[in-house]
Amino acid sequence: MKKFRIVVDRYIDSIENHWKSLSNSRQRTLTKFFLGIYVMLTVLTITYIWYETSNGNNILSISHIQGIPQSIINKAPHNE
């Protein structure tokens, strides 16, 4: 586990050094680009969820659990 942590730390350090070597304008451009992708995926996800639930057929029904199904009870090992 310690070796794994060392490898991960080295990888993070190399990525961070690469990021710091970029110019500030390039860092801003990449940050805006990734933020734009994040916002677009968020909007698409919310739109998809809104569209799927607007039909009225996809309403989650919540009810009381009546008991353990017999198929689960029969599969349980018996200690006798």
Side-chain angles (χ1 to χ4, degrees):
M1 189 67 181
K2 191 172 187 177
K3 289 181 182 180
F4 177 72
R5 181 67 184 170
I6 291 171
V7 170
V8 170
D9 285 340
R10 284 184 187 159
Y11 178 73
I12 290 173
D13 288 340
S14 69
I15 296 297
E16 188 173 343
N17 289 336
H18 179 70
W19 178 258
K20 288 179 180 179
S21 69
L22 295 174
S23 65
N24 286 340
S25 63
R26 184 73 174 154
Q27 287 180 3
R28 278 192 297 273
T29 303
L30 288 172
T31 302
K32 289 176 185 177
F33 175 72
F34 290 122
L35 180 63
I37 290 174
Y38 175 76
V39 168
M40 184 178 65
L41 287 174
T42 302
V43 168
L44 286 173
T45 303
I46 291 172
T47 304
Y48 174 76
I49 292 170
W50 174 76
Y51 176 74
E52 287 295 317
T53 57
S54 67
N55 295 339
N57 298 334
N58 296 332
I59 297 173
L60 178 64
S61 65
I62 300 173
S63 62
H64 180 71
I65 298 173
Q66 298 298 325
I68 300 173
Q70 288 296 326
S71 61
I72 294 175
I73 293 173
N74 293 336
K75 290 180 182 178
H78 297 287
N79 294 333
E80 295 181 19

